[in-house]
């Protein structure tokens, strides 16, 4: 992913007054920082996202996960195949619906998910340090972002 550097003298026009652009700039930088830590996990961001969804949504169908992750179901199947082959994910036939498979993380998948969380937190810590944010500013930032995202989930 290409990082957007907003610290240059480049004129971003009105982009700095649009929350979506600002969120994108922060997303791009934090993703780059987190991916620096991800490289040692031999995992893509989409695979990490799937592990997170499976962990937190045990009743979700593969179709639900694909939709939530913003990917085609056929692409999700490839990811699930890879995660299963790596011993990170279990697929079990649903006893109530033969067309459905229930998904669960293995102990190795759960351990890897903890490492993923640590990568994301390290990315957060790095961008906060780069920007010189105080703990109060970080709390305010999260409060406002959570308020915005809660609105989006209505």
């Amino acid at each position: 992913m290409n990082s957007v550097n907003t610290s240059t003298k480049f004129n971003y026009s009105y982009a700095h007054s649009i929350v979506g652009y600002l969120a994108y700039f922060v997303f791009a930088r934090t993703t780059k920082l987190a991916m620096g830590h991800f490289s040692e996990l031999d995992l893509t961001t989409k695979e990490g996202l799937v592990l997170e969804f499976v962990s937190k949504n045990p009743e979700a169908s593969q179709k639900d996960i694909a939709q939530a992750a913003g990917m085609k179901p056929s692409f999700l199947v490839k990811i699930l195949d890879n995660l299963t082959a790596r011993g990170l994910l279990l697929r079990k036939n649903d006893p109530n619906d033969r067309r459905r498979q229930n998904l669960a993380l293995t102990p190795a998948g759960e351990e890897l998910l903890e490492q993923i969380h640590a990568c994301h937190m390290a990315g957060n810590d790095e961008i906060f340090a780069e920007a010189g944010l105080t703990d109060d500013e970080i709390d305010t930032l999260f409060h406002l972002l959570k308020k915005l995202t809660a609105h989006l989930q209505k």
Side-chain angles (χ1 to χ4, degrees):
M1 166 173 274
N2 291 333
S3 175
V4 175
N5 182 355
T6 61
S7 65
T8 66
K9 294 180 182 180
F10 190 81
N11 183 344
Y12 286 91
S13 183
Y14 65 93
H16 282 148
S17 61
I18 305 296
V19 72
Y21 285 124
L22 294 173
Y24 169 75
F25 295 147
V26 172
F27 169 77
R29 181 66 182 144
T30 55
T31 299
K32 183 177 181 181
L33 292 168
M35 289 308 294
H37 299 281
F38 258 65
S39 62
E40 51 199 61
L41 300 181
D42 188 31
L43 193 73
T44 68
T45 54
K46 289 283 189 182
E47 289 170 332
L49 185 62
V50 168
L51 288 174
E52 183 70 29
F53 280 141
V54 169
S55 169
K56 301 299 184 232
N57 302 284
E59 300 299 318
S61 69
Q62 290 182 29
K63 182 180 177 181
D64 294 336
I65 293 170
Q67 185 175 17
M71 63 181 74
K72 293 181 181 181
S74 59
F75 185 70
L76 175 65
V77 169
K78 292 176 186 176
I79 289 175
L80 295 175
D81 288 344
N82 185 39
L83 294 173
T84 301
R86 291 181 58 189
L88 302 172
L89 188 71
L90 292 173
R91 289 167 153 160
K92 295 181 183 176
N93 291 329
D94 187 319
N96 300 319
D97 185 348
R98 291 183 301 163
R99 297 168 295 167
R100 180 183 166 112
Q101 288 186 323
N102 295 325
L103 305 171
L105 298 187
T106 65
E110 291 173 6
E111 183 180 316
L112 184 60
L113 190 57
E114 288 180 24
Q115 294 173 4
I116 292 167
H117 291 167
C119 289
H120 286 294
M121 297 311 291
N124 278 357
D125 291 345
E126 288 177 56
I127 198 167
F128 296 152
E130 286 176 358
L133 295 182
T134 66
D135 288 344
D136 285 343
E137 290 170 325
I138 294 168
D139 289 344
T140 299
L141 174 65
F142 276 111
H143 171 76
L144 294 172
L145 290 171
K146 287 176 184 178
K147 190 172 183 177
L148 281 171
T149 56
H151 167 73
L152 297 174
Q153 296 175 356
K154 288 181 181 178

